[in-house]
C-alpha cells in the first residue's frame, strides 16, 4: 500500500501543479485579452478622430477650391481687360 499511497501523493502533487500552471496561464490570457481590448478601443477612438479630421479638411479643401476658382476667374478677366487696353 505504501507504493500506492506514494503514487497517489505524486499524482495529487502533479495535479495540483498542473492546476496552478493552468490558473497562471488563464490569468496571463485574461491580461492579454484586456490589453487587446484596450488597444482596440483606443484604435477605434483614433479612427473616429481621424474621420472627423478628414471631414473638416475636406470642407476646408472645398472652400479653398471655390476661392481659387473665383480668383482664377478674376485674374483671367483682369488679364483680358489689360490685353484689350494694350492692344487698343
Amino acid at each position: 500500500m505504501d507504493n500506492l499511497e506514494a503514487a497517489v501523493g505524486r499524482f495529487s502533487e502533479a495535479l495540483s501543479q498542473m492546476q496552478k500552471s493552468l490558473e497562471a496561464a488563464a490569468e496571463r490570457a485574461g491580461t492579454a485579452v484586456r490589453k487587446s481590448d484596450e488597444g482596440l478601443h483606443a484604435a477605434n477612438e483614433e479612427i473616429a478622430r481621424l474621420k472627423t479630421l478628414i471631414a473638416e479638411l475636406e470642407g476646408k479643401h472645398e472652400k479653398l477650391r471655390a476661392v481659387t476658382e473665383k480668383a482664377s476667374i478674376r485674374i483671367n478677366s483682369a488679364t483680358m481687360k489689360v490685353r484689350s487696353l494694350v492692344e487698343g
Side-chain angles (χ1 to χ4, degrees):
M1 286 300 259
D2 288 337
N3 286 340
L4 183 58
E5 289 175 358
V8 167
R10 288 191 306 272
F11 179 76
S12 179
E13 182 61 33
L15 188 58
S16 176
Q17 196 64 18
M18 287 176 59
Q19 190 171 12
K20 288 178 186 176
S21 295
L22 181 60
E23 289 169 359
E27 186 176 328
R28 287 191 305 271
T31 300
V33 166
R34 281 190 301 279
K35 286 183 180 179
S36 177
D37 285 347
E38 290 169 1
L40 183 59
H41 180 72
N44 284 334
E45 287 181 348
E46 182 67 5
I47 288 169
R49 186 187 73 79
L50 291 173
K51 283 181 178 181
T52 300
L53 182 60
I54 287 171
E56 290 173 6
L57 290 174
E58 286 174 341
K60 288 179 182 179
H61 175 264
E62 184 57 31
K63 288 178 183 176
L64 287 173
R65 189 199 58 72
V67 168
T68 302
E69 187 175 328
K70 286 180 183 178
S72 178
I73 290 169
R74 288 181 179 175
I75 289 170
N76 286 340
S77 177
T79 301
M80 289 172 54
K81 286 179 183 177
V82 169
R83 281 187 183 161
S84 70
L85 290 173
V86 170
E87 292 175 356

